[in-house]
Amino acid sequence: MLEAREVSYRYRNHPWLLQHVNLQIHPGEVVGLYGKSGAGKTTLATILAGLKQPKQGFIQIDGHSYPMEGFHPVQLVWQLPEKVVNPKWRMKKILTEAGPLDSDLLAMLGINKTWLNRYPSELSGGELQRFCLARALGPKTKYLIADEMTTMLDAITQAQIWHTVLELVQQRNIGILAISHDSSLLERVCDRVINFDTLHSV
Amino acid sequence: MIGRTSFPMKVKKWNLRQRTLAVTILSFTLLAGMIGSGILIGPEKMGVDFLSKYLPPSFTHPFGTDWLGRDMLTRTLKGLTLSFSVGLLASTVSTFIALILSLLCSVNKKLDAVVTWFIDLFLSVPHIVILILISFAAGGGFKGVVIGLALTHWPSLTRLLRAEVLQLKNTDYVAVSKAFGKSRMWIARHHLLPHLVPQLIVGFILLFPHAILHEAAITFLGFGLSSEVPAIGIILSESMRYLATGMWWLAFFPGLALLVMVSIFDLLGRSIRKLIDPFHGQKL
């Protein structure tokens, strides 16, 4: 179980952005997090993925506290895929950075094998996002945080990707936190939806 | 005029990339020619010939001859070759120091402050003063000059690389790489280094003219290479004694040659920067 307890965070010289956030995600569960722009959803996502340390409170996975060594069991899929790939690397290297290639997963996500030899600037945002998703869904990933994962994609691609992700969640018993301001999408894919405003009290 | 209008001249205008490439190749060839001919000149050409001393520039001796009848052209080319090897050694070591120090900056804030302090320290003292001090302390001669040059030419490049490293360190893809459990060394090798390579190459080439000029300067002042080697600095300082008697060619041509070599290096560095920095970055 991924559990955030009493997590608070503020950027330097700014008022508290998150205060006393409590959140639990079970394996195989798809949790939606709905909130307005600038409310701190992405900050919470980076804290849950272990990229930022909370100022107060702690996060645990099955009783183990952060920080974690090695491949992080909570992986984040970012809103803007262009920023999370090294522009000087070919896609193949970008994928194998996280571990060996899984051709079944690539096929499921609709990644064309010929894209592997390209540079990030030669792919579209949607294509890049598939790579980021494939990279985040390594064999050691137990939880996935999808921060506006499909916001920049068209409706058909959005449906395709979520279909694949939900299938994988069932197969591997992965827990998902889907962050979006598109409440209808969340209602559609999630087991339960949390409003970000009720999560904490600033 | 009629011919011109009916048959428009087929002068293909080169674009910036082609022109830059041409300049790069041309300056590289010129430099290679200078260095190559300097290396190929044997000791028999450097001999003393008292029958032909104090000769002004002519077809047999384009740069004239000196007070021992030595051909100034061969001496100048030999001197440039020597300057090149000094510059090559010193710039390589300096670039390497700059790379190591800039990577140290990425480790933590304390190390960053220490490195920055050293950069400020070295930049606040006039270059030539530390250069003389270090090369004197290292025993002078070829070794002293190279050590002195290597230890004084890293700060500005380090500052450039440090800014780049700090910026790269905070990118999202480095954060993601950490989440994949990659070590600091792995990230430095695979994420940072490919972005630093263009800066390193350009920085290395642009260090050359600096190093060469400083080598000539301290040799001229008498703190550098010993007086029997045909270094440009030595040639210039010796020719000062004959300048008053009207033998202008002794200082003019070697000095001009040094200037030409330095500007070609500068041109080469700037052209390569144009080629690899903005447009072609990702494929390097």
Side-chain angles (χ1 to χ4, degrees):
Chain A
M1 187 173 70
L2 173 65
E3 187 179 20
R5 234 190 250 166
E6 293 295 310
V7 167
S8 300
Y9 191 85
R10 71 195 290 181
Y11 288 96
R12 202 190 298 170
N13 301 329
H14 284 274
W16 288 101
L17 186 60
L18 306 171
Q19 255 183 331
H20 312 299
V21 171
N22 290 295
L23 186 67
Q24 289 181 347
I25 303 169
H26 297 275
E29 189 184 23
V30 182
V31 181
L33 183 62
Y34 166 79
K36 289 194 287 288
S37 297
K41 302 188 296 289
T42 298
T43 304
L44 180 62
T46 46
I47 291 173
L48 286 174
L51 301 171
K52 278 195 181 94
Q53 264 75 53
K55 302 284 167 183
Q56 288 164 19
F58 61 92
I59 300 162
Q60 283 185 330
I61 296 176
D62 303 330
H64 299 286
S65 291
Y66 281 19
M68 302 255 165
E69 291 286 312
F71 193 97
H72 207 283
V74 180
Q75 287 292 330
L76 178 62
V77 179
W78 302 60
Q79 187 173 2
L80 297 171
E82 295 89 352
K83 286 174 74 185
V84 288
V85 292
N86 190 332
K88 297 216 172 208
W89 287 10
R90 288 179 193 273
M91 295 318 298
K92 191 169 188 169
K93 185 164 184 185
I94 290 169
L95 269 184
T96 47
E97 187 185 13
L101 291 180
D102 179 351
S103 13
D104 293 341
L105 181 63
L106 297 191
M108 275 176 87
L109 287 169
I111 291 175
N112 197 327
K113 278 266 154 81
T114 54
W115 296 347
L116 289 175
N117 276 326
R118 295 202 193 162
Y119 286 100
S121 59
E122 295 162 356
L123 291 174
S124 74
E127 288 160 353
L128 273 181
Q129 191 63 292
R130 290 163 206 244
F131 276 94
C132 290
L133 194 57
R135 186 169 70 158
L137 285 170
K140 290 185 203 151
T141 305
K142 289 184 184 151
Y143 297 92
L144 187 75
I145 297 172
D147 181 14
E148 308 270 16
M149 181 171 71
T150 53
T151 308
M152 33 93 77
L153 303 177
D154 60 273
I156 295 171
T157 322
Q158 200 165 1
Q160 254 176 11
I161 286 189
W162 272 110
H163 184 76
T164 313
V165 169
L166 293 178
E167 205 168 304
L168 275 169
V169 167
Q170 296 220 309
Q171 265 179 32
R172 298 206 206 152
N173 209 23
I174 294 174
I176 288 197
L177 178 69
I179 301 176
S180 180
H181 47 241
D182 182 357
S183 54
S184 50
L185 170 76
L186 292 181
E187 293 293 345
R188 188 73 189 262
V189 298
C190 299
D191 301 330
R192 64 186 164 103
V193 178
I194 308 167
N195 190 336
F196 192 74
D197 296 329
T198 60
L199 200 62
H200 68 137
S201 45
V202 175
Chain B
M1 286 310 282
I2 296 163
R4 233 179 162 178
T5 41
S6 51
F7 302 100
M9 294 260 280
K10 272 198 178 169
V11 179
K12 208 176 149 195
K13 245 200 149 192
W14 286 11
N15 63 26
L16 183 64
R17 169 174 287 275
Q18 288 166 325
R19 267 181 287 149
T20 315
L21 204 63
V23 168
T24 310
I25 292 169
L26 187 71
S27 48
F28 186 80
T29 320
L30 273 174
L31 278 176
M34 277 180 166
I35 310 306
S37 55
I39 292 169
L40 289 177
I41 291 169
E44 72 281 354
K45 287 274 175 62
M46 311 261 298
V48 175
D49 179 11
F50 286 106
L51 286 176
S52 54
K53 57 182 179 180
Y54 304 133
L55 288 181
S58 63
F59 280 112
T60 38
H61 300 289
F63 283 16
T65 59
D66 66 358
W67 55 96
L68 291 173
R70 292 175 294 191
D71 182 41
M72 286 311 285
L73 177 61
T74 54
R75 268 169 71 76
T76 303
L77 284 173
K78 267 284 182 218
L80 289 179
T81 312
L82 191 75
S83 294
F84 176 79
S85 56
V86 170
L88 183 71
L89 265 172
S91 312
T92 312
V93 178
S94 268
T95 312
F96 197 68
I97 292 175
L99 176 65
I100 299 292
L101 286 180
S102 60
L103 288 178
L104 276 182
C105 285
S106 72
V107 176
N108 60 34
K109 282 209 168 118
K110 252 182 209 157
L111 264 175
D112 182 38
V114 171
V115 173
T116 313
W117 185 80
F118 266 105
I119 293 173
D120 289 344
L121 177 76
F122 269 81
L123 284 179
S124 63
V125 185
H127 227 143
I128 200 94
V129 176
I130 333 176
L131 184 52
I132 290 172
L133 279 176
I134 294 178
S135 63
F136 192 72
F142 185 82
K143 192 183 76 178
V145 172
V146 170
I147 293 176
L149 288 171
L151 290 182
T152 49
H153 282 72
W154 55 267
S156 37
L157 182 60
T158 308
R159 198 142 72 163
L160 199 77
L161 292 178
R162 171 184 166 266
E164 194 88 353
V165 165
L166 291 186
Q167 195 195 341
L168 287 170
K169 199 185 85 165
N170 289 319
T171 54
D172 290 335
Y173 51 83
V174 169
V176 169
S177 196
K178 280 181 199 149
F180 291 143
K182 296 296 181 192
S183 69
R184 220 187 266 276
M185 277 306 286
W186 196 93
I187 289 175
R189 160 82 185 73
H190 290 90
H191 276 295
L192 305 187
L193 204 58
H195 287 267
L196 296 180
V197 164
Q199 301 275 18
L200 276 177
I201 293 174
V202 175
F204 171 72
I205 294 174
L206 289 180
L207 270 183
F208 251 94
H210 263 266
I212 291 172
L213 279 182
H214 277 131
E215 178 265 327
I218 62 164
T219 307
F220 179 80
L221 291 173
F223 296 100
L225 304 170
S226 49
S227 56
E228 68 272 9
V229 287
I232 295 289
I234 301 278
I235 293 173
L236 288 179
S237 72
E238 281 179 340
S239 68
M240 285 300 116
R241 272 176 273 160
Y242 298 88
L243 207 56
T245 58
M247 277 168 261
W248 54 273
W249 59 89
L250 290 181
F252 179 74
F253 288 115
L256 188 68
L258 180 68
L259 216 64
V260 168
M261 185 179 180
V262 164
S263 357
I264 292 177
F265 256 120
D266 200 50
L267 197 64
L268 182 67
R270 279 187 284 132
S271 310
I272 289 183
R273 172 154 64 196
K274 265 191 219 157
L275 282 178
I276 65 180
D277 234 14
F279 302 114
H280 217 248
Q282 66 170 217
K283 302 237 164 113
L284 192 92

